[in-house]
Amino acid sequence: MTPLSTMVPGTPCLLPEVRARLIQLLDEAEAALTLDQESARANLAQALRLLTQATVNPEPVAGLHGGLMGWQIKRVIAFVNSHLDATIHVKEMAFEARLSLSHFSHAFKLTFGEPPLAYVTRRRLARACDMMLASDAPLSRIAHECGFYDQSHFTRHFHRRLGMTPQSWRRFYADEPEG
């Protein structure tokens, strides 16, 4: 049987220590699968948590030639975080950075590794995950408070980004063994 670590594609967006830990967790889960399913489940849960955090929370890189400066990054992040429950337009983000729309869009993608609206959606999903872990609030309310039009819109983006529905994700983490 091929070790799972050889099947993990190179993911340059993951920090080397996170990637190494994921490979270790997946290899341990594979080894324990036939003998100790509970241990395998715990290793897979930890790997999924790491992947979710890495997918939802990559760090911007300041100082890239053509990218945003540190003060611009801070202003844009603060603006987005304080307006996640409302519609956010790229022109508003550009205004916060004091750049033209086209220059901002290019610099933002260089700095954050994704377009501005993809970043906004990712931040909304991160907030939704935090809210689902912290409360039993209905998904429709969480969707609304995180700036999604409705629960269907939220579910579509959540599934596309994290590979499962919000309800499945919530149930998985609620049932997850501590470790």
Side-chain angles (χ1 to χ4, degrees):
M1 181 181 287
T2 307
L4 286 172
S5 59
T6 62
M7 294 185 239
V8 176
T11 49
C13 64
L14 291 178
L15 296 172
E17 59 272 12
V18 173
R19 186 172 187 276
R21 180 68 178 135
L22 282 171
I23 290 169
Q24 177 188 7
L25 286 167
L26 292 172
D27 282 341
E28 288 173 8
E30 183 184 38
L33 196 56
T34 56
L35 303 174
D36 183 2
Q37 290 185 354
E38 191 58 37
S39 176
R41 183 180 183 283
N43 284 328
L44 290 172
Q46 286 180 13
L48 180 59
R49 187 182 315 112
L50 280 174
L51 278 173
T52 300
Q53 290 168 349
T55 304
V56 177
N57 296 315
E59 294 294 321
V61 179
L64 291 175
H65 180 70
L68 297 175
M69 298 178 67
W71 70 268
Q72 292 170 314
I73 293 170
K74 289 177 186 172
R75 283 184 65 125
V76 169
I77 289 173
F79 175 80
V80 169
N81 287 341
S82 66
H83 292 86
L84 284 176
D85 61 340
T87 301
I88 298 174
H89 297 282
V90 178
K91 66 182 176 187
E92 297 167 329
M93 295 168 70
F95 179 80
E96 288 296 316
R98 297 188 177 135
L99 295 173
S100 70
L101 182 61
S102 61
H103 184 188
F104 172 77
S105 295
H106 178 73
F108 187 96
K109 187 165 184 180
L110 278 174
T111 304
F112 286 82
E114 63 188 335
L117 293 180
Y119 171 78
V120 170
T121 300
R122 184 168 52 78
R123 291 298 306 129
R124 286 182 168 142
L125 292 172
R127 178 176 283 176
C129 288
D130 290 343
M131 290 175 72
M132 285 189 294
L133 290 175
S135 76
D136 291 330
L139 292 177
S140 58
R141 189 171 103 212
I142 290 173
H144 179 71
E145 290 179 14
C146 292
F148 293 98
Y149 297 117
D150 55 28
Q151 186 175 342
S152 174
H153 183 230
F154 169 51
T155 299
R156 215 170 28 257
H157 280 281
F158 196 97
H159 190 274
R160 189 177 303 145
R161 186 71 184 215
L162 298 173
M164 64 177 75
T165 66
Q167 186 64 41
S168 298
W169 187 92
R170 183 184 243 179
R171 195 175 309 118
F172 180 83
Y173 282 103
D175 295 340
E176 181 180 282
E178 295 297 320

